[in-house]
Amino acid sequence: GAGVSQSPSNKVTEKGKDVELRCDPISGHTALYWYRQRLGQGLEFLIYFQGNSAPDKSGLPSDRFSAERTGESVSTLTIQRTQQEDSAVYLCASSIQTGRTDTQYFGPGTRLTVL
Amino acid sequence: LAKTTQPISMDSYEGQEVNITCSHNNIATNDYITWYQQFPSQGPRFIIQGYKTKVTNEVASLFIPADRKSSTLSLPRVSLSDTAVYYCLVGGPTGTASKLTFGTGTRLQVTL
């Protein structure tokens, strides 16, 4: 079946502009995660959705970052007034809630470059 | 918050067994240990998960001592295609995602 998809695959923007990153999880997966991965670095947790609600937003680095999820499917990560330090690959993952640490299925990521 | 520590990099020859250890001294009672593999320009991929003792699947084994403060991913007879970054993840049941912590990753380089 279809995996997690993300769009766009690459995004180049100018400093100060807003960007929207999209994630389409695997159908039926109630949990959705966003991560940030800077070049050569590990994964940095940003936010987690259970259904349409976000129990934990503590990983969002600043108030310029926001995310929403509608219909227990698509999620959008929005970065306002982008800065050069926002340049990274943004990864989305989804999982089925099983009551234990769920296997996360990752998308290919969106590579964001802020000039 | 369970912090994990892994070696930054490892080198191996094709056909050898590779063991990558992850330290997680502050692991909580409900936490599981999961390992992921990441190739360049791709998202991480699940390899194996365990809670205690030993778990084995078709690609790897996971060894967890009784105190659960560390875990070892064992890859038997690695090939060139196993060259990747391996991440150790420690976390609790769904609903505690804020405690999901990926390690810094171990970059495994396999050569002939």
Side-chain angles (χ1 to χ4, degrees), chain A residues 33 35 37 41-43 45 48 50 56 58 91 97-104 106-108 111, chain B residues 32 34 36 38 41-44 46 49 87 89 91-95 97-98 100 102-104 107:
Chain A
Y33 314 78
Y35 295 88
Q37 186 171 35
Q41 304 295 311
L43 278 73
F45 169 81
Y48 155 71
Q50 183 55 46
D56 191 343
S58 62
L91 290 159
Q97 185 174 7
T98 63
R100 52 183 286 177
T101 301
D102 304 331
T103 299
Q104 296 181 47
F106 283 82
R111 182 176 299 278
Chain B
Y32 283 77
T34 312
Y36 287 82
Q38 186 178 30
S41 301
Q42 294 184 25
F46 172 89
Q49 182 180 81
Y87 290 98
L89 172 64
T94 300
S98 61
L100 292 175
F102 275 81
T104 54
R107 188 173 300 276

Side-chain angles (χ1 to χ4, degrees), chain A:
Chain A
V4 177
S5 62
Q6 293 185 246
S7 61
S9 55
N10 282 285
K11 176 70 176 179
V12 180
T13 190
E14 294 179 346
K15 177 181 174 181
K17 295 288 181 69
D18 297 351
V19 295
E20 280 191 356
L21 312 180
R22 176 187 170 107
C23 172
D24 284 87
I26 293 173
S27 178
H29 282 195
T30 59
L32 187 147
Y33 314 78
W34 282 98
Y35 295 88
R36 178 170 69 179
Q37 186 171 35
R38 292 196 166 105
L39 185 63
Q41 304 295 311
L43 278 73
E44 176 186 4
F45 169 81
L46 297 179
I47 188 171
Y48 155 71
F49 285 92
Q50 183 55 46
N52 293 337
S53 65
D56 191 343
K57 305 177 183 179
S58 62
L60 295 177
S62 76
D63 58 7
R64 296 187 296 104
F65 287 72
S66 64
E68 64 176 21
R69 187 181 184 194
T70 56
E72 292 197 355
S73 57
V74 173
S75 176
T76 302
L77 177 69
T78 301
I79 308 173
Q80 295 178 311
R81 306 181 302 281
T82 52
Q83 303 294 313
Q84 288 183 331
E85 63 262 27
D86 298 334
S87 296
V89 175
Y90 289 82
L91 290 159
C92 172
S94 69
S95 67
I96 295 175
Q97 185 174 7
T98 63
R100 52 183 286 177
T101 301
D102 304 331
T103 299
Q104 296 181 47
Y105 296 85
F106 283 82
T110 293
R111 182 176 299 278
L112 175 65
T113 303
V114 182
L115 301 176

Side-chain angles (χ1 to χ4, degrees), chain B residues 1-6 22-25 88-90 101-105:
Chain B
L1 194 65
K3 179 178 170 59
T4 60
T5 304
Q6 305 173 231
C22 179
S23 297
H24 29 79
N25 292 320
C88 165
L89 172 64
V90 174
T101 304
F102 275 81
T104 54

